[in-house]
Amino acid sequence: MNASPSSAVQIGALVPLTRPGWVEAGRHLLAGLELAVRDVNDGGGIDGRPLELLIRDTAADPVKAAAAVTELAGLGVVALAGEYHSVVARAAAAEADALGLPFLCSSAVLDGLTEKPTDWVARLPPAQSHGWRIYADFLLGAGHRRIAVVTQPSVYWASGTRILRDHLAPHGGSVTELDAGALDPGAVCDALVGSGATALLLLVGFPEPVVSIVKAVRGDQRLADVLIGAPAGQPEFAGWAAALGDDGAGVPFLRYLPERLGPLGTRVEAALRERLAAAPSFVAFVAFEGYDTVAVLADIVRAQGPDRARIAASWPTVSVEGTRGRIRFSRPPGSSVWQWAWAPTQVVDRDPAHPDRFRVRHAT
């Protein structure tokens, strides 16, 4: 089913807006999606037709997300946008592929977004293997070769651990896994001391057990020189600073922004800051990903019309100026989906001297 000529052009939006989803990330993602829709409509819409989002809350539930994709496809959306959680995005991508519904994934990075190659799915953020290898290079450059990860059962966390181990090993690095389900925060500290690791990476959920683990490590004098890292990006959000204060500073994470924004990115940042009622530092890159998702889909629909097959066939011809640079899609080796290769990538932390500001520690 495709949109009728007289109707609004509708895009389905998958966003985690309730727990156990990461609600703050979902709120930022939705703000970016909605701002881009407003800009498209202020500019005349799609050939005079308004662009409209049909929003569905995934709550970080793959089953709920797959059901939402089926519902949205039946309602006649021309394409699907959004999602933050990788496991949820994978379920949505599988359903979109089966139904022949174009899906531009906004924020999920898991390499295996689909089990087999598909032309129905494209993605904006770098694949996890790309970003986490950059993070591993940052660790090596900072002199860290013995790494500990505190982790919970998850395809995403397991994939990240494997990427780190494979990238560090040729450089004499090692990764020790600490099970957050079996160890309380005090026991994590004891195990970390015994491991001899100089860096601890947090591959666990926020706010808990992340907050308790960070406070325990920061309060343990034996671990005063241990770097705490969170490659998945939790320290980007205001909730991190509110929960941890000064203890949350100096925790490097991955962020998909250039060192300096261009004119479009600067304008969008100002509008997002107003929309989210947040200080400039707290406009997360996730919001930019949401904006760019709609910008790409609107450009394709303008050129190809609302036909789903023609939209999906257009991924390799996309050339859109986004908030963080020009967006084009290709098929990197091993990728099962069309991929922006690659969004600008940084390793950033909150400055201990000014926790409301970010420092770029490493960039590509």
Coordinates of all heavy atoms in Angstrom, one line a residue, residues 148-196:
A148 N 39.0 -3.9 31.3 CA 37.9 -4.7 31.9 C 36.6 -4.1 31.4 O 36.5 -2.9 31.2 CB 38.0 -4.6 33.4
V149 N 35.6 -5.0 31.2 CA 34.3 -4.5 30.8 C 33.3 -5.2 31.8 O 33.4 -6.3 32.1 CB 33.9 -4.9 29.4 CG1 34.8 -4.3 28.4 CG2 33.9 -6.4 29.2
V150 N 32.5 -4.3 32.4 CA 31.4 -4.9 33.2 C 30.1 -4.9 32.4 O 29.8 -3.9 31.8 CB 31.2 -4.0 34.5 CG1 30.9 -2.5 34.2 CG2 30.1 -4.6 35.4
T151 N 29.5 -6.1 32.3 CA 28.5 -6.3 31.2 C 27.3 -7.0 31.7 O 27.4 -7.7 32.7 CB 29.2 -7.0 30.0 OG1 28.3 -7.0 28.9 CG2 29.7 -8.4 30.4
Q152 N 26.2 -6.9 30.9 CA 25.0 -7.6 31.1 C 24.7 -8.4 29.9 O 25.2 -8.0 28.8 CB 23.8 -6.6 31.4 CG 24.0 -5.9 32.7 CD 22.9 -4.8 32.9 OE1 22.7 -4.0 32.0 NE2 22.2 -4.8 34.0
P153 N 23.9 -9.5 30.0 CA 23.6 -10.2 28.8 C 22.8 -9.4 27.7 O 21.8 -8.8 28.0 CB 22.6 -11.4 29.3 CG 23.0 -11.4 30.8 CD 23.3 -10.0 31.2
S154 N 23.4 -9.3 26.5 CA 22.8 -8.5 25.4 C 23.6 -8.8 24.2 O 24.8 -8.9 24.2 CB 22.9 -7.0 25.8 OG 22.8 -6.2 24.6
V155 N 22.9 -9.0 23.1 CA 23.6 -9.1 21.8 C 24.5 -7.9 21.5 O 25.6 -8.1 21.0 CB 22.6 -9.3 20.7 CG1 23.3 -9.3 19.3 CG2 21.8 -10.6 20.8
Y156 N 24.0 -6.8 21.9 CA 24.8 -5.5 21.6 C 26.1 -5.5 22.5 O 27.2 -5.2 22.0 CB 23.9 -4.3 21.9 CG 24.6 -3.0 21.8 CD1 25.0 -2.5 20.5 CD2 24.8 -2.2 22.9 CE1 25.6 -1.3 20.4 CE2 25.4 -0.9 22.8 CZ 25.8 -0.5 21.5 OH 26.4 0.7 21.4
W157 N 25.9 -5.7 23.8 CA 27.1 -5.7 24.6 C 28.1 -6.8 24.3 O 29.3 -6.6 24.3 CB 26.7 -5.8 26.1 CG 25.9 -4.8 26.6 CD1 24.7 -4.9 27.4 CD2 26.0 -3.3 26.5 NE1 24.2 -3.7 27.7 CE2 25.0 -2.7 27.2 CE3 27.0 -2.5 25.9 CZ2 24.9 -1.3 27.4 CZ3 26.9 -1.1 26.0 CH2 25.8 -0.6 26.7
A158 N 27.6 -8.0 23.9 CA 28.5 -9.1 23.5 C 29.2 -8.8 22.3 O 30.4 -9.1 22.1 CB 27.7 -10.4 23.4
S159 N 28.5 -8.1 21.3 CA 29.2 -7.7 20.1 C 30.3 -6.7 20.3 O 31.4 -6.8 19.8 CB 28.1 -7.2 19.1 OG 28.7 -6.6 18.0
G160 N 30.0 -5.7 21.2 CA 31.0 -4.7 21.5 C 32.2 -5.3 22.2 O 33.3 -4.9 21.9
T161 N 32.0 -6.2 23.1 CA 33.1 -6.9 23.8 C 34.0 -7.6 22.8 O 35.2 -7.6 22.8 CB 32.6 -7.9 24.8 OG1 31.8 -7.2 25.8 CG2 33.7 -8.6 25.5
R162 N 33.4 -8.3 21.8 CA 34.1 -9.1 20.8 C 34.9 -8.1 19.9 O 36.1 -8.4 19.6 CB 33.2 -9.9 20.0 CG 33.9 -10.8 18.9 CD 32.9 -11.7 18.2 NE 31.8 -10.9 17.5 CZ 30.6 -10.8 17.9 NH1 30.2 -11.3 19.0 NH2 29.7 -10.0 17.1
I163 N 34.3 -7.0 19.5 CA 35.0 -6.0 18.7 C 36.2 -5.5 19.4 O 37.3 -5.4 18.8 CB 34.1 -4.9 18.3 CG1 33.0 -5.4 17.4 CG2 34.8 -3.7 17.6 CD1 31.8 -4.4 17.3
L164 N 36.1 -5.1 20.7 CA 37.2 -4.6 21.4 C 38.3 -5.6 21.6 O 39.5 -5.3 21.4 CB 36.7 -4.2 22.8 CG 35.8 -3.0 22.9 CD1 35.2 -2.9 24.3 CD2 36.6 -1.7 22.6
R165 N 37.9 -6.9 21.9 CA 39.0 -7.9 22.1 C 39.7 -8.2 20.8 O 41.0 -8.2 20.8 CB 38.3 -9.2 22.6 CG 39.2 -10.3 22.8 CD 38.5 -11.5 23.4 NE 38.3 -11.3 24.8 CZ 37.1 -11.4 25.4 NH1 36.0 -11.6 24.6 NH2 36.9 -11.2 26.7
D166 N 39.0 -8.3 19.7 CA 39.6 -8.5 18.4 C 40.6 -7.4 18.0 O 41.6 -7.6 17.3 CB 38.6 -8.8 17.3 CG 37.8 -10.1 17.5 OD1 38.3 -10.9 18.4 OD2 36.8 -10.3 16.8
H167 N 40.2 -6.2 18.3 CA 41.0 -5.0 17.8 C 42.2 -4.8 18.8 O 43.2 -4.4 18.3 CB 40.1 -3.8 17.8 CG 40.7 -2.6 17.0 ND1 40.9 -2.7 15.7 CD2 41.3 -1.5 17.4 CE1 41.5 -1.5 15.2 NE2 41.7 -0.8 16.3
L168 N 42.0 -5.1 20.0 CA 43.1 -4.8 21.0 C 44.2 -5.9 21.0 O 45.4 -5.7 21.2 CB 42.6 -4.7 22.4 CG 41.7 -3.5 22.7 CD1 41.0 -3.6 24.0 CD2 42.6 -2.2 22.7
A169 N 43.8 -7.2 20.7 CA 44.7 -8.3 20.8 C 45.9 -8.2 19.9 O 47.0 -8.4 20.4 CB 43.9 -9.6 20.4
P170 N 45.9 -7.7 18.7 CA 47.1 -7.6 17.9 C 48.1 -6.6 18.4 O 49.2 -6.6 18.0 CB 46.6 -7.2 16.5 CG 45.2 -7.6 16.5 CD 44.7 -7.5 17.8
H171 N 47.6 -5.7 19.3 CA 48.5 -4.7 19.9 C 48.9 -5.1 21.3 O 49.3 -4.2 22.1 CB 47.7 -3.3 19.9 CG 47.3 -2.9 18.6 ND1 48.1 -2.2 17.7 CD2 46.1 -3.0 18.0 CE1 47.4 -2.0 16.6 NE2 46.2 -2.4 16.7
G172 N 48.7 -6.3 21.7 CA 49.1 -6.8 23.0 C 48.0 -6.5 24.1 O 48.3 -6.6 25.3
G173 N 46.8 -6.1 23.7 CA 45.8 -5.8 24.6 C 44.9 -7.0 25.0 O 44.9 -8.0 24.3
S174 N 44.2 -6.8 26.1 CA 43.3 -7.9 26.6 C 42.1 -7.3 27.2 O 42.0 -6.2 27.6 CB 44.1 -8.8 27.7 OG 44.4 -8.0 28.8
V175 N 41.0 -8.1 27.2 CA 39.7 -7.7 27.8 C 39.3 -8.7 28.8 O 39.2 -9.9 28.5 CB 38.7 -7.6 26.7 CG1 37.3 -7.2 27.3 CG2 39.1 -6.5 25.6
T176 N 39.0 -8.3 30.0 CA 38.5 -9.1 31.1 C 37.0 -8.8 31.3 O 36.7 -7.6 31.5 CB 39.3 -8.9 32.4 OG1 40.6 -9.2 32.2 CG2 38.7 -9.7 33.5
E177 N 36.1 -9.8 31.3 CA 34.7 -9.5 31.4 C 34.3 -9.7 32.9 O 34.7 -10.7 33.5 CB 33.9 -10.5 30.6 CG 34.1 -10.3 29.1 CD 33.2 -11.1 28.2 OE1 31.9 -11.1 28.5 OE2 33.7 -11.9 27.4
L178 N 33.5 -8.8 33.4 CA 33.0 -8.8 34.8 C 31.4 -8.8 34.6 O 30.9 -8.0 34.0 CB 33.4 -7.6 35.6 CG 34.9 -7.3 35.6 CD1 35.2 -6.0 36.4 CD2 35.7 -8.5 36.2
D179 N 30.8 -9.8 35.2 CA 29.4 -10.0 35.1 C 28.6 -9.2 36.1 O 28.6 -9.5 37.3 CB 29.1 -11.5 35.3 CG 27.6 -11.8 35.1 OD1 26.8 -10.9 34.8 OD2 27.2 -13.0 35.1
A180 N 27.9 -8.2 35.6 CA 27.1 -7.3 36.5 C 26.0 -8.0 37.2 O 25.5 -7.6 38.2 CB 26.6 -6.1 35.7
G181 N 25.5 -9.1 36.6 CA 24.5 -9.9 37.2 C 25.0 -10.7 38.4 O 24.2 -11.0 39.3
A182 N 26.3 -11.1 38.4 CA 26.8 -11.9 39.5 C 27.6 -11.1 40.5 O 27.8 -11.6 41.6 CB 27.8 -12.9 38.9
L183 N 28.0 -9.8 40.2 CA 28.8 -9.0 41.1 C 28.1 -7.7 41.4 O 27.6 -7.0 40.6 CB 30.1 -8.6 40.4 CG 31.0 -9.8 39.9 CD1 32.1 -9.3 39.0 CD2 31.5 -10.6 41.1
D184 N 28.0 -7.4 42.7 CA 27.5 -6.1 43.1 C 28.6 -5.1 42.9 O 29.7 -5.4 42.6 CB 27.0 -6.1 44.6 CG 28.1 -6.4 45.6 OD1 29.3 -6.1 45.3 OD2 27.7 -6.9 46.7
P185 N 28.3 -3.8 43.0 CA 29.3 -2.8 42.7 C 30.6 -2.9 43.5 O 31.7 -2.7 43.0 CB 28.6 -1.5 43.1 CG 27.2 -1.7 42.8 CD 26.9 -3.2 43.2
G186 N 30.5 -3.3 44.8 CA 31.7 -3.5 45.6 C 32.5 -4.7 45.0 O 33.8 -4.6 45.0
A187 N 31.8 -5.8 44.7 CA 32.6 -6.9 44.1 C 33.2 -6.6 42.7 O 34.2 -7.1 42.4 CB 31.6 -8.1 44.0
V188 N 32.5 -5.7 42.0 CA 33.1 -5.2 40.7 C 34.4 -4.5 41.0 O 35.4 -4.8 40.3 CB 32.1 -4.3 40.0 CG1 32.9 -3.6 38.8 CG2 30.9 -5.0 39.4
C189 N 34.5 -3.7 42.0 CA 35.7 -3.0 42.4 C 36.8 -4.0 42.8 O 38.0 -3.9 42.3 CB 35.5 -2.1 43.6 SG 34.4 -0.6 43.1
D190 N 36.4 -5.0 43.6 CA 37.4 -6.0 44.0 C 38.0 -6.8 42.8 O 39.2 -7.0 42.6 CB 36.8 -7.0 45.0 CG 36.5 -6.4 46.3 OD1 37.0 -5.3 46.6 OD2 35.6 -6.9 47.0
A191 N 37.1 -7.2 41.9 CA 37.5 -7.9 40.7 C 38.4 -7.0 39.8 O 39.3 -7.5 39.1 CB 36.3 -8.4 39.9
L192 N 38.0 -5.7 39.7 CA 38.8 -4.8 38.9 C 40.2 -4.7 39.4 O 41.2 -4.7 38.7 CB 38.1 -3.5 38.9 CG 38.6 -2.4 37.9 CD1 38.8 -2.9 36.5 CD2 37.7 -1.1 38.0
V193 N 40.3 -4.6 40.7 CA 41.7 -4.5 41.3 C 42.5 -5.8 41.0 O 43.6 -5.7 40.6 CB 41.6 -4.3 42.9 CG1 43.0 -4.5 43.5 CG2 41.0 -3.0 43.2
G194 N 41.8 -6.9 41.1 CA 42.5 -8.2 40.8 C 42.9 -8.4 39.4 O 43.8 -9.1 39.1
S195 N 42.1 -7.7 38.5 CA 42.4 -7.9 37.0 C 43.6 -7.1 36.6 O 44.2 -7.5 35.5 CB 41.2 -7.4 36.2 OG 41.1 -6.0 36.2
G196 N 44.0 -6.1 37.3 CA 45.1 -5.3 36.8 C 44.8 -4.4 35.7 O 45.7 -3.7 35.1

